[in-house]
Amino acid sequence: MDHDDLNRLQWRCTRRALLELDLILGKFLAEEFPALDEDDKRVFAELADMEDHDLWPLVNGTEACDDARQGRIVAMLRKSGVRQPL
Amino acid sequence: MSIPVRKYDAVIVGAGGAGLRAAIQLSEAGLKTAVLSKVFPTRSHTVAAQGGVSASLGNSEEDHWHWHMYDTVKGSDWLGDQDAIEFMCRKAPEVVVELEHFGMPFDRTDEGKIYQRPFGGHMSNFGEKPVRRACAAADRTGHAMLHALYQRNVRAQTQFFVEWMALDLIRDEEGQVLGVIALEMETGEVVAFHAKATIFATGGAGRIFYSSTNAFINTGDGLGMAARAGIPLEDMEFWQFHPTGVAGAGVLITEGVRGEGGILRNDKGERFMERYAPNAKDLASRDVVSRAMVTEINEGRGCGPNKDFVTLDITHLPPETIMKRLPGIREISIQFAGIDPIKAPIPVVPTCHYQMGGIPTNYKGQVVLEDGATVAGFYAAGECACASVHGANRLGTNSLLDLLVFGKSSGDTVIEDLASMPKAHKELPAGFADRTLARLGRLESQKDGADVHETRLAMQRTMQNHCGVFRFKDKLEEGVRKILDIEKQAAQTQIKDKSKVWNTARVEALEFDNLIEVAKATMICAEARKESRGAHVRDDAPDTPEFPNGRDDKEWLKHSLWYRDGNKLSYKPVTLKPLSVETIALKTRSY
Ligand SMILES: Cc1cc2nc3c(=O)[nH]c(=O)nc-3n(C[C@H](O)[C@H](O)[C@H](O)COP(=O)(O)OP(=O)(O)OC[C@H]3O[C@@H](n4cnc5c(N)ncnc54)[C@H](O)[C@@H]3O)c2cc1C
């Protein structure tokens, strides 16, 4: 991903409707995203494009994720804890 | 330097509940309307609202708009304008039923009517007993509402400009507003939207505080733009705090947790609410609980290494109850506090939740100046506006109602006002973009400046420590000095990324320009108001027989107005006369 794609993604991760997702996606993008391979990066970007009320239940585990590709990234998001406003 | 100009009949900044509701009026009336938003409309913060929207439909039991009006005036601690409050409460049933017709999937009763549930502060028969007035769509009221409004706009062919950030108002020498200057993030291009009418619906500014339940988008852009254009901000000292935000992250833990038996404890494990509210205990009203928590922390009984939070304990509840009755709470605690609430108590602090003040308007949505004159071409609605229906304290579910009523009325007023205006657009003044371009230019060329993130953090901590739930004279005075110091750094922020396209560092710096205006207004208004009223509670204005709850109507029954120029403060009277009924007479606010 180039500068523009990455910054667009950053905006879409940290200007969400729900604070919960601002915190989790923002931290993931800064800390774990850089080490992903290109396919996983694309999957993450797909997740970030979802509506907040569809994505949040997957990330907090109240709903199961039935897409195997997304499931791996969702599992990483579930584990990533956030203690401070970024 | 000149910038491209696009012409519209009306431009709306903001695509949350208020902006989308206004846009429906305009587009359906055939006006050429542009709606600008920093994010895709259904990413607006209105989506976060769960509790519901109030209207005296009387579907579950007898109810009346006049009772709703009484509750709202009382909730506002008599600082709300009674003409606007009557207008809102009378219109509520109409706008809620209209929303139903737009496709809002409200919860229903067995007979198919909109189901209604009780909500704090909403009572029947002028404060007698709780009434079921809140209409909801499961726990996704805001989400469902925004989708219904968005679909209706698509049908009406509203033109959306998504991921565009409005930067400044265009105001000519006569004071008339002629549109906005905006930045397209994808191209970095700066464009003028030349309009006969401009409606601000930019939402709140909850991110001025360190601990906030608000999403990151709430940076008070509308307020910053209005202040820079010489328009005062009203009642900015009044912010509602929610007692239980997760310490640190700020994520909201719903009142339902205490409803199910959650207990607040200090460092000794003591259930301290027994001392502050022997009857209601942990279920006392939001402001009472929040102040008790802060008192515990201030007196050294906070928890953790810095003794800066208390805990919300549900370890005594059966795990099945937690999983079944409080879905998501366990996950929130694990993700944002790092604890499993089945085994350990949740760290919580009172957290900034809602902004009562804003851009001064009347109930028609027109922006009004101190002398009551309207600003030609300028309107505002929703959380960024101060009509003022929430006064010193908002009732839950009245905010979504505010969006619908004043979104609609501002749209109607624009249609009316445009009918009597010349057909052609008034000419843009010479150099209309100069100040905005200078601001952008300064940011480009700044050397040895301040880091945006660090300066914002300094502001947020100062607001939190000096101007929180419970306010102290010395702390406020020091807070004013500190925030004015931080303002100097804010004027010298520096960014490393100088690229044109998708420069999020630039956008964040521009958002910070707005936050700092709101922070100054808040601190300065709070220091100046020497009474306690609603959400503004000062240690040196305690509850006495002469001043019950610390409220001083003789001196302070008035709206604050803060001007950016010289940080000047001024005051204007509260409108006590409703539109058609008798004034709701001053009384001590107690529940
Ligand atoms: C967690 C939470 C729960 C809540 N629950 C309830 C509830 O149950 N009931 C209730 O009545 N209230 C509730 N509230 C309050 C209520 O949700 C908000 O007050 C309300 O949604 C604000 O709506 P709005 O239309 O004014 O602004 P928002 O929905 O915040 O929309 C603002 C819009 O302005 C745009 N914008 C901002 N700045 C710019 C700019 N510079 N350029 C372009 N576009 C811009 C944004 O992109 C966005 O589209 C809750 C609030 C929170 C935080």
Side-chain angles (χ1 to χ4, degrees):
Chain A
M1 279 191 184
D2 62 12
H3 164 279
D4 299 357
D5 290 339
L6 202 60
N7 277 12
R8 182 192 296 111
L9 185 59
Q10 196 218 331
W11 183 251
R12 291 181 187 173
C13 285
T14 56
R15 293 297 179 281
R16 309 289 306 191
L18 300 179
L19 172 63
E20 288 84 337
L21 288 173
D22 277 341
L23 292 165
I24 290 195
L25 299 187
K27 182 166 182 244
F28 186 88
L29 190 66
E31 294 177 2
E32 302 192 55
F33 181 84
L36 299 181
D37 65 28
E38 285 305 310
D39 275 351
D40 279 351
K41 281 185 178 167
R42 256 194 306 277
V43 173
F44 175 75
E46 258 170 54
L47 288 167
D49 267 342
M50 285 169 69
E51 290 267 338
D52 284 52
H53 276 295
D54 295 327
L55 180 57
W56 175 232
L58 299 182
V59 172
N60 79 10
T62 49
E63 268 173 36
C65 177
D66 36 20
D67 178 317
R69 279 174 337 129
Q70 293 183 346
R72 217 180 38 253
I73 305 291
V74 166
M76 292 173 84
L77 289 170
R78 264 185 216 171
K79 268 199 235 107
S80 106
V82 184
R83 305 285 173 270
Q84 299 294 328
L86 303 179
Chain B
M1 214 179 114
S2 73
I3 59 172
V5 177
R6 299 187 186 190
K7 272 192 189 176
Y8 286 87
D9 291 320
V11 56
I12 299 175
V13 184
L20 290 184
R21 187 62 194 84
I24 292 173
Q25 290 312 96
L26 299 184
S27 294
E28 289 188 347
L31 295 181
K32 192 178 168 204
T33 305
V35 177
L36 274 56
S37 175
K38 292 199 283 189
V39 295
F40 192 77
T42 55
R43 284 271 174 93
S44 300
H45 201 32
T46 295
V47 166
Q50 303 183 339
V53 51
S54 52
S56 58
L57 298 171
N59 284 354
S60 305
E61 59 188 314
E62 192 188 355
D63 199 2
H64 197 285
W65 65 261
H66 202 184
W67 301 346
H68 187 184
M69 174 182 173
Y70 176 87
D71 299 338
T72 305
V73 171
K74 178 177 169 185
S76 82
D77 219 351
W78 274 268
L79 192 72
D81 287 324
Q82 296 197 18
D83 55 345
I85 295 177
E86 176 180 338
F87 184 80
M88 179 177 82
C89 297
R90 283 186 87 141
K91 285 272 181 196
E94 171 192 318
V95 294
V96 165
V97 169
E98 224 164 41
L99 186 63
E100 185 185 24
H101 294 161
F102 292 165
M104 170 89 171
F106 281 116
D107 297 344
R108 297 192 177 276
T109 63
D110 292 341
E111 307 134 295
K113 292 185 188 165
I114 295 176
Y115 173 80
Q116 298 189 277
R117 57 184 175 202
F119 216 93
H122 291 277
M123 320 278 269
S124 67
N125 207 16
F126 305 101
E128 231 173 62
K129 59 177 195 338
V131 72
R132 281 172 274 174
R133 189 178 287 151
C135 313
D139 62 352
R140 296 181 173 193
T141 308
H143 170 84
M145 178 169 144
L146 214 55
H147 275 263
L149 294 175
Y150 179 65
Q151 288 310 328
R152 186 83 185 186
N153 270 292
V154 170
R155 209 180 86 168
Q157 298 187 324
T158 301
Q159 207 177 333
F160 287 99
F161 290 83
V162 173
E163 296 178 333
W164 280 71
M165 180 182 181
L167 303 178
D168 278 304
L169 272 176
I170 306 172
R171 212 176 163 202
D172 70 8
E173 272 185 3
E174 289 163 354
Q176 185 166 343
V177 167
L178 301 173
V180 292
I181 297 167
L183 169 79
E184 183 180 23
M185 298 183 203
E186 192 175 352
T187 60
E189 204 180 354
V190 177
V191 174
F193 286 78
H194 186 186
K196 296 178 201 163
T198 302
I199 304 180
F200 271 12
T202 52
R207 299 309 306 182
I208 62 167
F209 288 95
Y210 181 73
S211 196
S212 175
T213 66
N214 288 193
F216 291 176
I217 195 169
N218 278 10
T219 54
D221 297 355
L223 281 72
M225 288 187 267
R228 281 193 294 277
I231 288 156
L233 302 181
E234 179 173 342
D235 292 341
M236 290 308 297
E237 61 272 46
F238 298 101
W239 291 82
Q240 188 171 75
F241 283 72
H242 194 288
T244 55
V246 173
V251 174
L252 188 96
I253 303 267
T254 101
E255 246 117 21
V257 173
R258 279 170 290 138
E260 289 296 332
I263 293 173
L264 290 161
R265 297 189 192 281
N266 61 19
D267 65 336
K268 312 266 184 312
E270 182 203 4
R271 182 180 197 178
F272 59 83
M273 281 312 301
E274 285 179 334
R275 277 189 276 119
Y276 297 88
N279 294 321
K281 296 191 183 101
D282 302 275
L283 292 174
S285 68
R286 280 183 185 176
D287 51 339
V288 171
V289 176
S290 292
R291 278 197 299 282
M293 292 165 72
V294 172
T295 304
E296 289 300 300
I297 293 169
N298 285 346
E299 292 180 357
R301 292 186 294 278
C303 307
N306 300 321
K307 298 185 130 333
D308 54 358
F309 57 81
V310 297
T311 60
L312 177 58
D313 187 4
I314 52 171
T315 55
H316 53 288
L317 300 182
E320 310 82 68
T321 307
I322 297 178
M323 314 289 260
K324 206 170 121 212
R325 297 272 189 78
L326 302 169
I329 293 303
R330 183 167 182 225
E331 291 74 14
I332 284 181
S333 307
I334 292 172
Q335 276 169 319
F336 300 108
I339 61 102
D340 182 346
I342 292 176
K343 298 182 194 132
I346 314 164
V348 288
V349 284
T351 301
C352 166
H353 188 52
Y354 184 83
Q355 161 196 310
M356 266 79 71
I359 302 167
T361 69
N362 57 24
Y363 65 87
K364 296 175 176 169
Q366 294 163 312
V367 175
V368 285
L369 297 172
E370 194 171 336
D371 59 3
T374 58
V375 180
F378 193 28
Y379 310 78
E383 195 169 334
C384 73
C386 182
S388 143
V389 283
H390 309 299
N393 177 56
R394 169 194 71 125
L395 288 191
T397 69
N398 262 356
S399 169
L400 290 185
L401 176 61
D402 163 349
L403 311 183
L404 294 174
V405 170
F406 297 108
K408 183 177 182 188
S409 77
S410 60
D412 284 338
T413 310
V414 166
I415 295 167
E416 237 178 82
D417 289 353
L418 289 199
S420 59
M421 267 191 181
K423 285 270 166 296
H425 283 67
K426 193 175 178 191
E427 214 173 302
L428 291 175
F432 66 89
D434 288 356
R435 281 217 235 168
T436 310
L437 294 174
R439 200 151 62 88
L440 290 167
R442 198 279 303 156
L443 196 57
E444 287 314 290
S445 59
Q446 181 72 47
K447 291 205 176 63
D448 304 319
D451 179 75
V452 174
H453 181 75
E454 276 169 26
T455 318
R456 192 179 57 212
L457 205 60
M459 172 199 74
Q460 289 169 331
R461 288 192 192 281
T462 303
M463 294 309 296
Q464 192 79 25
N465 295 335
H466 293 264
C467 201
V469 184
F470 204 3
R471 296 170 173 176
F472 302 85
K473 182 172 184 290
D474 298 352
K475 285 236 169 201
L476 286 165
E477 287 167 0
E478 197 190 344
V480 170
R481 285 194 295 276
K482 280 190 172 174
I483 216 76
L484 294 178
D485 261 357
I486 294 169
E487 182 196 13
K488 288 183 200 136
Q489 294 166 43
Q492 298 181 5
T493 47
Q494 183 179 353
I495 52 172
K496 292 199 188 87
D497 186 353
K498 309 278 182 187
S499 59
K500 191 160 184 268
V501 172
W502 271 112
N503 186 334
T504 43
R506 178 186 297 135
V507 173
E508 284 178 7
L510 294 167
E511 286 182 330
F512 180 54
D513 283 352
N514 298 319
L515 280 169
I516 189 72
E517 299 300 339
V518 180
K520 277 189 295 178
T522 300
M523 189 71 88
I524 289 169
C525 289
E527 192 277 324
R529 185 176 284 271
K530 305 286 189 299
E531 64 158 356
S532 296
R533 181 185 299 269
H536 173 69
V537 180
R538 291 178 64 119
D539 171 66
D540 56 349
D543 184 23
T544 61
E546 192 187 356
F547 301 112
N549 294 335
R551 195 177 90 193
D552 177 358
D553 288 327
K554 226 170 103 214
E555 278 297 317
W556 289 103
L557 183 62
K558 54 190 180 186
H559 295 294
S560 312
L561 292 172
W562 169 85
Y563 291 84
R564 178 174 184 264
D565 191 13
N567 288 309
K568 196 183 96 172
L569 281 182
S570 193
Y571 294 90
K572 68 173 183 183
V574 174
T575 305
L576 293 170
K577 196 168 161 23
L579 297 170
S580 74
V581 289
E582 300 264 300
T583 295
I584 292 173
L586 289 163
K587 234 167 88 173
T588 303
R589 177 170 161 260
S590 67
Y591 288 100

